Amino acid sequence: NHKKFFSPQDWNLTWHTENPDFTQCFQNTVLVCIPCIYLWVCFPVYFLYLRCHDRGYIQMSNLNKAKTALGLILWIVCWADLFYSFWERKNIFRPPFFLVMPTVLGITMLLATFLIQYERIKGVQSSGVMTIFWLISLSCATVVFRSKIKHALNTGAEVDAFRYVTFCIYFILLLVQLILCCLPERPPLFSETVNDPNPCPESSASFLSRITFWWITGLMVQGYRRPLEAKDLWSLNKEDKSEEIVPGLARNWAKEWAKTKRGSKAQVTQPLLRGVCHLLSKPAFVRPKWQLCICPSVLLINFVNNKAAPNWQGYFYTGLLFFCACLQTLILHQYFHICFVTGMRLKTAIVGVIYRKALVITNSARKTSTVGEIVNLMSVDAQRFMDLATYINMIWSAPLQVILALYLLWQNLGPSVLAGVAVMILLVPINAVMAMKTKTYQVAQMKSKDNRIKLMNEILNGIKVLKLYAWELAFREKVLEIRQKELKVLKKSAYLAAMATFTWVCAPFLVALSTFAVYVTIDKNNILDAQKAFVSLALFNILRFPLNMLPVVISSIVEASVSLKRLRVFLSHEELDPDSIIRGPVTEASKAELCALYFSINFTVPEGSLVAVVGQVGCGKSSLLSALLGEMEKKEGYVVVKGSVAYVPQQAWVQNATLEDNILFGREKNESRYKRVIEACALLPDIEILPTGDKTEIGEKGVNLSGGQKQRVSLARAVYCNADVYLCDDPLSAVDAHVGKHIFEKVIGPKGILKNKTRVLVTHAINYLPQMDTILVMSDGEISEMGSYQELLKQDGAFAEFLRTYANAEQSMENSGKFTNKFSWNKLMCTERQMSSNRQLSNSSTYSRDAGKSQHRSSTAELQKPLAEKNSWKLTEADTAKTGRVKATVYWDYMKAIGLFISFLSIFLFMCNHIASLTSNYWLSLWTDDPVINGTQQYTNVRLGVYGALGISQGIAVFGYSMVVSIGGIFASRHLHLNLLHSVLRSPMSFFERTPSGNLVNRFSKEIDTIDSTIPPIIKMFMGSTFNVIGACIIILLATPIAAVIIPPLGLVYLFVQRFYVATSRQLKRLESVSRSPVYSHFNETLLGVSVIRAFEEQKRFIKQNDMKVDENQKAYYPSIVANRWLAVRLEYVGNCIVLFAALFAVIARNKLSAGLVGLSVSYSLQITAYLNWLVRMSSELETNIVAVERVKEYAEMEKEAEWSIEQTAPASTWPEEGKIEFRGYGLRYREDLDLVLKNINVTINGGEKIGIVGRTGAGKSSLTLGLFRINEAAEGEIIIDGINIAKIGLHDLRFKITIIPQDPILFSGSLRMNLDPFDQHSDEDVWRSLELAHLKTFVSSLPDKLNHECAEGGENLSVGQRQLVCLARALLRKSKILVLDEATAAVDLETDKLIQSTIKSQFEECTVLTIAHRLNTIMDYTRVLVLDRGEVVECGSPDHLLQEKGIFYSMAKDSGLV
């Protein structure tokens, strides 16, 4: 029988018997060939792969020696057989395969041995190819082994002793090889992992460990024992790091962009795909594994029907079913893992490219996309691509699955399948239409969201002004208006989603119903038996997945394409032309040519000279400097700057880092130079005040420094970097007169540190002008005069006129630097914003309680202060990660936010839906068991009718709960957002100083977005999968009650795994969201300081920092992906066990069971794995996402400031009548545990008095105004205005009645009119009058939109001086009895200053005016002057009187040259 391969009697031997076996011939040929064919097919591909991926060389180890030796022995054993056959041929004739097979096998073993060595040389630590090879060989050998033993036990059979022995040796060696192959090798030499403190175990894990994700178990155990921290996370694999990924995309994009300059449209798609293409190709071949489980289940149902079949076939089918299910699990999750990693890399690439682009984009282009939009690009749009990566392969695999399933259905039911197909085809366009609609809504929603975030960003940046003006309500209304639009769109998409869910859930049912109906009505003889019904149902369930996924995939692609478009627009923005200025090297030429173009300007500055640029507000002084930096667009001409440039911007830009880092700005620290710079910039006294000296961390935008300190830090940064050309934009505006003088002498002036450098100084301070080499006078963007001080005076032009007006007090230029030392500087307190202690740090290392350990704090170790104290001086609170389980109260809060009635209604509808679904399937199983009489079934119509009715009721319930949940979700998100907004606006000022704006913006964008659009669908799916699992268990119990024994223990295992996982997963998710904040904060910061970064040419360092922060974030994200896969594999194994037992019990009890029930039970148990997986995914998703509710609630429960208005104590509407202010024993402190900043102040200010408040920096001048506005509540004493104690009335009642012109003029984006009068209380005439008085009328009239002129974010399209005038106009419009001027004239040139002062004198004649003055000449004609020192009033009286007393006031006047 060797000639014929499989003859009928072979089948008898193999199949139709109680004790099956293969024929000899089959064993010796096919079973030997399978492993050989496998290895030879894999070899060429694998060999090439190894050639390309060299990971380094692995040293010989005992493990490797053992593997090689065993391989060689195997070869010898095989060839021993061969030689034995040759020797045997003399006596007995054997068929040729006795020679061929050992030869082939021997050569294969040699190849395997070669591969073992080759893998070692190429650095493979554990090989999948080899493991599978040994596994296949062993399983084939096992079959042969069994039959040999069976043969030998048969008495009387002849035994071929030699071959038996060699085979046993062969079998044992294979077993040992397989075991050895599961052990990983040591890491290759020179690999990164060696010097990595916490390498990722993945690379060194064995194949089995990798395919089951066993290697992450260590982290899981750790996370279960205690909450994970940032230091427990592994480093990223090299191929996932930013520096590996981003350049690839950047290169490809640059190529694309170069093409566009030639005229075609740039496509991001290609470079993106090219950059990530090699990643996407991997998972493609892993996809089609769906149908693995179908065939065994069909066979199983047949087996139960066929009473004659031998028992072992049932067990064989059960085993086969289990094996297929397990294989499917492993392959599917490998696929998902690859997809997610790809998504992660995509995100890294996109964020990196956006950041790099943001550094080179022109200012005009930056105006077109606001900070909010760019941050959204980084967060939301990058996320879209991550989601897409998971779905992208569905595009081809879904249709494939559909076709396969349909083919099998046709086999089963014949042409009536077409009815089902018709229903499906009908549903596709419906789904498509919905997807399109969803897209339009999505775009609308994104737009509102961008606007809302932009507005929130501004509100948070200008919160102090809002509080001082009591404008919170107006802005709250603006935000809510945008939010209302957003919710409208959300509501529409919710209705759509409900429709979609309805079609989604009902589709498979309608398909089944139509198919069965057609099948049984066409022909009386068509019988619906168990095999047909349940196999069809199983196939319909398979169909359901790709059909449901297609719309999701399509919408995901659509979303990604929207994002792609946004990304393309951003990446295609104009870039700064690096050649617009020529930065020549410093050569022997003694002139640094500077010839700048701004309305055609020509001038040259000799090297080493000091040039002043003066002129009115808005005449283009700052623009001139921008042109020199190459920030403006050059129309014609050329600009040459010799050597490196340092730049001091008008509004100081301070990073969120230590003071020292801010000054060094990435340069090496040179102790002596550093000390000199600090001393020259008058920073020493400030550093003494700061809690940890120059290691003190400075909050975002420098919140804990005063304006003057920020300016000085900014100057120190420039001085330290030792450039050749210095461009200073009014660095002396924000500092006191004597400090300004000190800085001018020590830094900028002819004797300063920079005396040999080229300096261009924009200034308003005329007393320094005589010392300048050249003065440029600008007006309306042109240079009107130019020359030295003397020359310009001789010319007697505009400049001389300008000087005469101001220089009436002769400038006494004698050196008054001696003065500074008389004051014990070191005792001064920095009041502007008292540094707070025990606040947390805003840095990428959240858990920086162990500050010494985290790398970027290594410098702190130098401080000799004890650790505890060191940590107490962190300023900003990090976005802290909560630990532990999410409390049940959070869910309860959410349910309350939805409304309890709606919550319970939705649960009830869920129940109805699932009961209907179970009943309909049970009804089907009863129907299939109807007896067949004369080839037909009775009662077909009744059965069909009831089946249809149940299905329809199911559909109605689905639609109901979908609607209810979606609408409930919208109620909840409206309610939560309102609370959050209200409570943030009600928070006291101290809260905003402590909390980085990044955190707050994160709450308003990410968290609210989660509540809006993520939580409701997750709740739907969570409820759905819960009921599905319960339903499936019920059915299995109905069919085989004995399963009751096995389900509870499996349930326990399941729960254990799930709890184990959620602990880790939740913490990883939190770590990930915490490490996300610094990415955005850093990005925001970069955008604000981009001109400084460019001027100092520090782009590389910032890019590197950004990469580090992104990698920190991905470090937490990567384990969370793997943890998901780990869980899924474990859970599916639990599910597969349920399948195994359901099938096993069905086989055991097959005589008692009807085929219908077995079918029902098996088809449900097959689905249970998917449901279980889904359930855990959803429960952990729910838990991780409900954290958003928790975080929003957390801010809603913060401390609040006092009530805004109190009915009972509200003062009369005309209050204050005269504006008399009394301070009675007033004291103020910034926080409970700090000293008083103001102490026992007793002053009475009569109505209509003009009071000047002076004092050195940090004497408590600003604190006085903060107390007056109750930004900080009194610590002792009280302030009484017109007989009413201000502490007793509502904040708005108070703040509406006092007007302030604040130190830093902040405008909000919106019309100019809105900025002046957000509540629309005044008529247009009033507004115009106030503008006229503020000297802005001509400017505003010249604008195209007049009052509706749109101000940019932060008012960036007006100059600083103009903004200051707008603030003055606000004050004029409010016209209250009490006016506070906080340094209002710092940024304004002297003429404008004079105008402002005269306006204030004339307009606020009968009002009380308090002025905090740096320039003493403004207050020389005030009624009284208060001199503050260290929080106490030291002198008080009229200016003349104080000058005669020769006290502090006199010395200050002398400093500023008024005496």
Side-chain angles (χ1 to χ4, degrees):
N1 72 348
H2 291 309
K3 305 288 172 290
K4 283 197 274 180
F5 213 52
F6 255 133
S7 52
Q9 70 260 38
D10 291 357
W11 273 115
N12 290 340
L13 172 66
T14 311
W15 193 246
H16 304 292
T17 158
E18 287 295 324
N19 197 349
D21 197 2
F22 286 119
T23 59
Q24 275 288 304
C25 164
F26 183 79
Q27 288 179 14
N28 284 342
T29 51
V30 179
L31 290 183
V32 174
C33 277
I34 292 173
C36 301
I37 293 168
Y38 161 79
L39 194 62
W40 284 102
V41 168
C42 287
F43 173 69
V45 184
Y46 188 52
F47 184 73
L48 287 173
Y49 170 79
L50 286 179
R51 285 276 304 269
C52 307
H53 294 68
D54 193 347
R55 296 213 184 81
Y57 172 88
I58 299 180
Q59 283 173 307
M60 257 304 201
S61 61
N62 290 337
L63 177 63
N64 205 285
K65 287 176 191 156
K67 281 192 204 168
T68 314
L70 286 175
L72 291 171
I73 298 171
L74 275 168
W75 167 65
I76 293 166
V77 169
C78 295
W79 280 26
D81 257 10
L82 174 67
F83 293 128
Y84 181 66
S85 296
F86 271 126
W87 175 79
E88 218 178 20
R89 285 187 84 143
K90 296 184 194 124
N91 317 339
I92 323 162
F93 174 75
R94 291 278 187 185
F97 68 73
F98 274 99
L99 295 177
V100 178
M101 281 306 137
T103 317
V104 174
L105 199 57
I107 296 173
T108 309
M109 288 305 163
L110 272 182
L111 179 65
T113 316
F114 164 72
L115 272 177
I116 290 172
Q117 281 306 316
Y118 192 66
E119 284 176 344
R120 177 180 72 80
I121 294 167
K122 291 293 179 193
V124 178
Q125 286 176 276
S126 171
S127 151
V129 174
M130 294 309 292
T131 311
I132 294 172
F133 170 68
W134 296 123
L135 191 64
I136 295 177
S137 306
L138 189 69
S139 39
C140 289
T142 314
V143 176
V144 181
F145 195 55
R146 175 181 172 269
S147 96
K148 290 218 180 215
I149 290 173
K150 200 180 140 190
H151 185 72
L153 292 179
N154 270 358
T155 41
E158 43 160 331
V159 175
D160 187 346
F162 182 79
R163 283 204 175 81
Y164 265 56
V165 174
T166 52
F167 186 77
C168 287
I169 296 173
Y170 171 76
F171 184 74
I172 291 163
L173 288 177
L174 282 180
L175 187 62
V176 178
Q177 272 287 31
L178 180 63
I179 294 166
L180 288 183
C181 205
C182 295
L183 307 172
E185 290 278 355
R186 57 172 95 170
L189 290 171
F190 316 118
S191 72
E192 274 86 14
T193 43
V194 183
N195 41 26
D196 193 335
N198 195 1
C200 180
E202 181 184 12
S203 54
S204 55
S206 69
F207 174 71
L208 279 179
S209 159
R210 244 189 254 182
I211 200 165
T212 56
F213 298 98
W214 186 260
W215 51 272
I216 194 187
T217 310
L219 190 71
M220 296 304 230
V221 175
Q222 216 176 355
Y224 186 66
R225 294 214 180 110
R226 60 175 174 76
L228 288 173
E229 295 176 21
K231 61 173 193 296
D232 301 327
L233 300 175
W234 307 309
S235 336
L236 276 178
N237 294 332
K238 183 157 168 278
E239 58 270 20
D240 293 333
K241 287 201 172 139
S242 294
E243 62 230 31
E244 289 285 313
I245 298 172
V246 184
L249 178 57
R251 268 199 311 275
N252 281 322
W253 168 250
K255 279 183 208 152
E256 272 299 316
W257 208 47
K259 281 186 210 158
T260 56
K261 299 211 170 133
R262 292 178 240 140
S264 59
K265 231 175 114 190
Q267 293 295 332
V268 186
T269 341
Q270 275 177 321
L272 256 186
L273 290 179
R274 237 184 271 139
V276 189
C277 204
H278 61 282
L279 303 174
L280 282 179
S281 54
K282 279 191 205 163
F285 61 84
V286 191
R287 215 43 248 255
K289 39 69 209 126
W290 267 91
Q291 282 66 30
L292 280 176
C293 288
I294 278 302
C295 310
S297 57
V298 177
L299 296 170
L300 198 68
I301 294 174
N302 284 353
F303 166 76
V304 174
N305 262 354
N306 172 6
K307 301 289 183 219
N311 264 343
W312 70 267
Q313 289 183 7
Y315 298 123
F316 173 68
Y317 290 142
T318 306
L320 195 62
L321 190 60
F322 183 63
F323 174 72
C324 289
C326 292
L327 195 61
Q328 176 179 333
T329 299
L330 290 179
I331 293 176
L332 178 65
H333 292 297
Q334 226 30 53
Y335 161 75
F336 273 140
H337 178 62
I338 294 168
C339 282
F340 276 115
V341 173
T342 307
M344 176 177 105
R345 290 180 187 171
L346 263 177
K347 182 172 178 181
T348 303
I350 287 167
V351 173
V353 169
I354 290 173
Y355 187 84
R356 284 158 174 74
K357 178 74 181 185
L359 284 173
V360 293
I361 172 178
T362 57
N363 284 344
S364 54
R366 227 192 88 202
K367 296 271 179 342
T368 57
S369 39
T370 57
V371 178
E373 276 173 35
I374 302 177
V375 170
N376 264 349
L377 267 181
M378 289 180 92
S379 56
V380 183
D381 295 334
Q383 193 64 43
R384 293 272 159 80
F385 287 110
M386 289 175 85
D387 298 343
L388 181 66
T390 350
Y391 292 139
I392 194 90
N393 282 304
M394 296 268 183
I395 293 179
W396 61 268
S397 77
L400 193 76
Q401 288 178 36
V402 172
I403 291 164
L404 247 165
L406 286 179
Y407 170 73
L408 291 169
L409 274 169
W410 185 278
Q411 295 280 312
N412 210 1
L413 295 178
S416 45
V417 171
L418 294 175
V421 177
V423 174
M424 280 181 190
I425 291 172
L426 275 175
L427 286 174
V428 170
I430 298 176
N431 272 335
V433 169
M434 285 185 191
M436 293 312 292
K437 278 302 248 197
T438 315
K439 172 186 172 176
T440 50
Y441 291 150
Q442 196 107 35
V443 175
Q445 191 192 337
M446 284 302 287
K447 206 163 171 171
S448 310
K449 193 172 156 203
D450 279 350
N451 288 339
R452 194 183 86 231
I453 298 306
K454 184 175 137 198
L455 186 61
M456 280 314 302
N457 223 339
E458 290 194 56
I459 289 178
L460 296 173
N461 286 344
I463 188 79
K464 189 167 184 183
V465 177
L466 286 191
K467 290 209 173 298
L468 291 171
Y469 285 126
W471 277 0
E472 294 103 332
L473 286 170
F475 278 86
R476 190 179 124 192
E477 285 319 302
K478 278 182 71 175
V479 175
L480 289 180
E481 198 179 309
I482 300 178
R483 178 77 179 150
Q484 203 46 49
K485 275 190 214 149
E486 207 179 339
L487 285 176
K488 228 188 200 138
V489 175
L490 262 180
K491 203 170 226 157
K492 283 181 191 161
S493 19
Y495 292 141
L496 264 185
M499 286 294 297
T501 313
F502 174 68
T503 52
W504 204 86
V505 175
C506 289
F509 182 80
L510 287 173
V511 173
L513 180 66
S514 53
T515 309
F516 291 152
V518 171
Y519 181 70
V520 295
T521 47
I522 305 175
D523 183 355
K524 277 277 182 282
N525 292 338
N526 277 350
I527 301 163
L528 199 61
D529 59 8
Q531 180 191 347
K532 288 204 170 76
F534 287 106
V535 171
S536 310
L537 265 190
L539 286 167
F540 283 135
N541 273 330
I542 279 191
L543 269 180
R544 172 190 196 154
F545 183 75
L547 283 179
N548 290 338
M549 284 320 282
L550 272 178
V552 177
V553 174
I554 292 166
S555 70
S556 167
I557 290 172
V558 164
E559 281 176 6
S561 68
V562 173
S563 295
L564 253 184
K565 207 163 102 203
R566 290 171 51 140
L567 191 62
R568 190 179 69 217
V569 168
F570 178 70
L571 288 181
S572 308
H573 275 327
E574 279 299 297
E575 296 187 4
L576 280 180
D577 179 11
D579 312 327
S580 62
I581 54 166
I582 303 160
R583 284 200 178 179
V586 183
T587 46
E588 72 295 332
S590 62
K591 296 176 92 179
E593 283 253 336
L594 259 99
C595 134
L597 274 256
Y598 181 75
F599 289 122
S600 65
I601 288 177
N602 298 300
F603 69 96
T604 307
V605 180
E607 195 170 315
S609 64
L610 172 57
V611 180
V613 182
V614 294
Q616 295 235 337
V617 168
C619 70
K621 301 186 295 289
S622 300
S623 305
L624 179 68
L625 292 193
S626 291
L628 292 182
L629 287 170
E631 299 268 323
M632 308 289 273
E633 277 182 54
K634 185 173 68 168
K635 291 283 181 276
E636 56 190 349
Y638 71 110
V639 187
V640 185
V641 180
K642 286 272 167 69
S644 56
V645 176
Y647 171 57
V648 184
Q650 189 166 9
Q651 286 188 302
W653 173 71
V654 184
Q655 270 185 286
N656 179 358
T658 62
L659 186 71
E660 182 182 50
D661 293 344
N662 262 304
I663 294 173
L664 298 180
F665 206 56
R667 311 266 184 311
E668 263 87 74
K669 182 170 178 179
N670 168 345
E671 208 47 64
S672 57
R673 177 176 180 76
Y674 178 68
K675 289 240 165 57
R676 249 190 24 247
V677 170
I678 285 186
E679 208 273 320
C681 294
L683 279 167
L684 276 176
D686 305 283
I687 288 179
E688 284 173 16
I689 293 167
L690 291 174
T692 49
D694 58 2
K695 301 285 190 292
T696 308
E697 192 203 350
I698 293 170
E700 237 180 284
K701 299 197 192 70
V703 285
N704 47 335
L705 297 180
S706 68
Q709 285 167 328
K710 275 191 279 200
Q711 199 74 38
R712 294 202 296 270
V713 169
S714 173
L715 183 65
R717 172 194 304 149
V719 176
Y720 186 82
C721 92
N722 199 9
D724 303 307
V725 180
Y726 281 80
L727 305 175
C728 307
D729 195 347
D730 208 359
L732 304 175
S733 61
V735 295
D736 303 0
H738 62 281
V739 180
K741 183 164 184 184
H742 172 94
I743 287 181
F744 187 78
E745 282 173 5
K746 288 278 196 297
V747 183
I748 302 168
K751 299 195 193 64
I753 291 191
L754 305 179
K755 56 177 177 286
N756 304 326
K757 314 277 189 191
T758 311
R759 290 143 297 169
V760 178
L761 174 73
V762 171
T763 184
H764 294 139
I766 47 170
N767 44 350
Y768 305 131
L769 294 182
Q771 302 185 14
M772 302 291 176
D773 298 335
T774 320
I775 297 169
L776 305 181
V777 186
M778 292 190 74
S779 62
D780 295 330
E782 294 184 7
I783 296 181
S784 55
E785 292 178 88
M786 174 172 173
S788 69
Y789 186 69
Q790 303 306 332
E791 286 166 20
L792 291 178
L793 277 180
K794 285 197 194 91
Q795 283 176 19
D796 209 22
F799 177 71
E801 191 54 39
F802 167 83
L803 275 182
R804 271 190 217 108
T805 339
Y806 294 109
N808 41 21
E810 231 343 79
Q811 313 293 328
S812 69
M813 285 317 294
E814 87 251 30
N815 179 5
S816 48
K818 308 184 199 81
F819 259 106
T820 28
N821 309 336
K822 288 191 186 166
F823 281 88
S824 47
W825 271 104
N826 45 8
K827 297 212 186 73
L828 294 186
M829 286 302 283
C830 113
T831 44
E832 274 301 321
R833 302 232 169 93
Q834 196 65 32
M835 290 286 300
S836 57
S837 57
N838 58 27
R839 294 174 178 178
Q840 278 317 313
L841 160 92
S842 74
N843 202 327
S844 45
S845 52
T846 322
Y847 302 97
S848 57
R849 308 268 150 62
D850 40 15
K853 283 186 201 149
S854 72
Q855 314 122 358
H856 20 253
R857 298 242 92 68
S858 50
S859 58
T860 35
E862 297 159 19
L863 281 177
Q864 286 84 34
K865 304 200 177 182
L867 248 170
E869 193 181 1
K870 194 170 72 195
N871 286 335
S872 59
W873 286 112
K874 300 297 190 253
L875 173 71
T876 46
E877 285 182 7
D879 224 342
T880 43
K882 282 239 169 88
T883 50
R885 290 192 62 170
V886 178
K887 296 188 187 61
T889 50
V890 179
Y891 294 100
W892 185 241
D893 280 334
Y894 188 71
M895 278 175 77
K896 276 193 299 207
I898 292 180
L900 293 181
F901 171 68
I902 292 186
S903 307
F904 288 116
L905 178 65
S906 61
I907 292 174
F908 174 70
L909 286 169
F910 263 110
M911 303 267 296
C912 295
N913 165 34
H914 283 281
I915 290 169
S917 142
L918 283 181
T919 324
S920 68
N921 278 341
Y922 188 62
W923 184 259
L924 189 65
S925 91
L926 292 178
W927 178 1
T928 60
D929 288 338
D930 272 357
V932 180
I933 302 165
N934 304 334
T936 62
Q937 279 174 319
Q938 257 63 49
Y939 328 120
T940 321
N941 294 347
V942 180
R943 293 286 193 200
L944 199 58
V946 174
Y947 189 59
L950 283 169
I952 289 163
S953 58
Q954 184 184 344
I956 293 166
V958 169
F959 188 66
Y961 80 69
S962 249
M963 286 301 289
V964 168
V965 171
S966 302
I967 299 301
I970 287 172
F971 284 161
S973 61
R974 167 179 297 149
H975 178 75
L976 290 167
H977 177 260
L978 189 65
N979 277 359
L980 174 66
L981 181 64
H982 189 69
S983 58
V984 165
L985 288 176
R986 282 279 319 274
S987 300
M989 214 38 233
S990 57
F991 167 74
F992 295 99
E993 283 158 23
R994 271 206 310 270
T995 317
S997 61
N999 292 8
L1000 282 166
V1001 173
N1002 207 350
R1003 292 287 192 279
F1004 277 101
S1005 63
K1006 193 87 178 134
E1007 291 355 355
I1008 291 290
D1009 184 47
T1010 305
I1011 292 172
D1012 283 349
S1013 47
T1014 320
I1015 293 184
I1018 284 183
I1019 286 181
K1020 268 189 239 177
M1021 293 197 241
F1022 173 71
M1023 302 284 287
S1025 42
T1026 312
F1027 283 115
N1028 274 334
V1029 170
I1030 296 169
C1033 289
I1034 291 172
I1035 290 282
I1036 292 173
L1037 287 175
L1038 276 178
T1040 48
I1042 190 173
V1045 183
I1046 209 74
I1047 284 181
L1050 281 176
L1052 283 175
V1053 172
Y1054 172 83
L1055 273 175
F1056 170 71
V1057 169
Q1058 197 257 13
R1059 285 260 44 92
F1060 203 77
Y1061 157 79
V1062 167
T1064 308
S1065 151
R1066 185 182 49 229
Q1067 203 54 25
L1068 283 173
K1069 189 90 168 210
R1070 282 173 176 163
L1071 282 176
E1072 194 260 333
S1073 74
V1074 162
S1075 63
R1076 202 185 315 119
S1077 289
V1079 177
Y1080 301 150
S1081 297
H1082 180 241
F1083 188 66
N1084 266 332
E1085 203 168 72
T1086 308
L1087 285 178
L1088 289 171
V1090 76
S1091 56
V1092 180
I1093 296 173
R1094 284 180 203 153
F1096 284 94
E1097 299 186 312
E1098 283 287 312
Q1099 292 97 320
K1100 283 256 177 1
R1101 185 167 65 91
F1102 275 81
I1103 287 176
K1104 203 165 167 181
Q1105 274 184 2
N1106 179 59
D1107 283 356
M1108 261 180 56
K1109 288 187 159 60
V1110 172
D1111 287 348
E1112 272 304 300
N1113 184 15
Q1114 299 295 34
K1115 232 162 90 169
Y1117 179 68
Y1118 185 65
S1120 71
I1121 306 175
V1122 182
N1124 268 336
R1125 301 276 71 78
W1126 178 89
L1127 169 82
V1129 171
R1130 306 282 173 287
L1131 286 189
E1132 287 202 9
Y1133 269 90
V1134 174
N1136 295 342
C1137 290
I1138 293 181
V1139 175
L1140 176 70
F1141 287 115
L1144 200 61
F1145 293 140
V1147 171
I1148 293 171
R1150 66 175 178 153
N1151 300 327
K1152 297 197 271 301
L1153 285 182
S1154 69
L1157 267 179
V1158 173
L1160 192 60
S1161 154
V1162 171
S1163 71
Y1164 262 98
S1165 71
L1166 274 179
Q1167 286 175 314
I1168 205 168
T1169 38
Y1171 290 147
L1172 277 180
N1173 211 338
W1174 211 211
L1175 177 62
V1176 170
R1177 282 280 293 287
M1178 283 307 126
S1179 59
S1180 59
E1181 281 281 291
L1182 185 60
E1183 193 164 356
T1184 40
N1185 281 305
I1186 207 90
V1187 170
V1189 178
E1190 177 182 54
R1191 293 176 67 160
V1192 167
K1193 282 301 244 197
E1194 168 191 27
Y1195 275 178
E1197 284 145 15
M1198 291 286 181
E1199 45 162 351
K1200 305 277 180 286
E1201 50 185 5
E1203 286 299 316
W1204 275 343
S1205 53
I1206 305 171
E1207 287 296 311
Q1208 302 85 330
T1209 59
S1213 58
T1214 53
W1215 175 87
E1217 304 278 334
E1218 49 174 339
K1220 177 181 176 190
I1221 308 173
E1222 291 178 68
F1223 290 89
R1224 296 185 182 165
Y1226 186 72
L1228 176 78
R1229 60 162 60 105
Y1230 278 93
R1231 270 217 338 271
E1232 272 66 68
D1233 47 352
L1234 295 175
D1235 299 338
L1236 291 174
V1237 193
L1238 293 174
K1239 303 191 267 291
N1240 53 17
I1241 292 186
N1242 291 297
V1243 180
T1244 303
I1245 297 168
N1246 298 317
E1249 273 197 304
K1250 309 281 179 284
I1251 303 286
I1253 302 173
V1254 296
R1256 307 259 173 204
T1257 304
K1261 306 187 293 275
S1262 300
S1263 311
L1264 204 58
T1265 58
L1266 294 182
L1268 193 57
F1269 281 90
R1270 282 176 61 201
I1271 295 288
N1272 289 70
E1273 300 288 350
E1276 53 187 41
E1278 53 195 15
I1279 301 178
I1280 290 174
I1281 299 181
D1282 281 5
I1284 290 185
N1285 180 352
I1286 64 167
K1288 298 278 188 287
I1289 60 177
L1291 289 179
H1292 280 186
D1293 298 335
L1294 166 70
R1295 291 173 187 167
F1296 269 128
K1297 305 293 186 187
I1298 320 176
T1299 304
I1300 186 167
I1301 300 182
Q1303 191 169 9
D1304 28 3
I1306 291 186
L1307 301 188
F1308 299 96
S1309 62
S1311 65
L1312 196 59
R1313 148 120 225 185
M1314 194 276 324
N1315 267 302
L1316 292 168
D1317 172 32
F1319 288 103
D1320 279 335
Q1321 294 163 326
H1322 305 278
S1323 65
D1324 276 8
E1325 294 81 69
D1326 292 350
V1327 177
W1328 276 111
R1329 240 191 85 248
S1330 70
L1331 283 174
E1332 185 178 3
L1333 293 168
H1335 314 286
L1336 274 173
K1337 187 169 186 179
T1338 45
F1339 168 68
V1340 177
S1341 313
S1342 70
L1343 294 170
D1345 303 337
K1346 308 270 190 300
L1347 281 179
N1348 293 328
H1349 172 67
E1350 273 296 313
C1351 300
E1353 226 175 322
E1356 282 175 5
N1357 50 1
L1358 300 177
S1359 73
V1360 182
Q1362 284 164 335
R1363 279 181 253 171
Q1364 196 78 60
L1365 293 176
V1366 172
C1367 292
L1368 175 66
R1370 275 180 199 163
L1372 290 162
L1373 201 55
R1374 287 191 45 164
K1375 202 78 173 92
S1376 52
K1377 271 286 186 219
I1378 299 174
L1379 173 69
V1380 180
L1381 293 179
D1382 185 357
E1383 261 325 310
T1385 51
V1388 185
D1389 62 296
L1390 297 171
E1391 279 181 63
T1392 323
D1393 186 7
K1394 201 155 186 197
L1395 293 173
I1396 293 180
Q1397 289 298 339
S1398 64
T1399 308
I1400 287 170
K1401 281 203 187 70
S1402 60
Q1403 292 305 308
F1404 293 99
E1405 206 172 347
E1406 60 279 358
C1407 306
T1408 313
V1409 179
L1410 302 177
T1411 304
I1412 293 179
H1414 281 179
R1415 295 185 183 161
L1416 297 188
N1417 52 356
T1418 54
I1419 55 161
M1420 284 318 227
D1421 50 358
Y1422 277 24
T1423 22
R1424 271 196 293 169
V1425 174
L1426 294 182
V1427 183
L1428 289 177
D1429 186 30
R1430 279 183 257 148
E1432 302 184 59
V1433 179
V1434 277
E1435 301 177 15
C1436 175
S1438 70
D1440 303 340
H1441 172 66
L1442 291 182
L1443 284 177
Q1444 279 146 20
E1445 280 191 1
K1446 298 265 165 92
I1448 294 181
F1449 184 66
Y1450 173 75
S1451 65
M1452 292 174 82
K1454 194 163 177 194
D1455 269 7
S1456 46
L1458 293 171
V1459 187

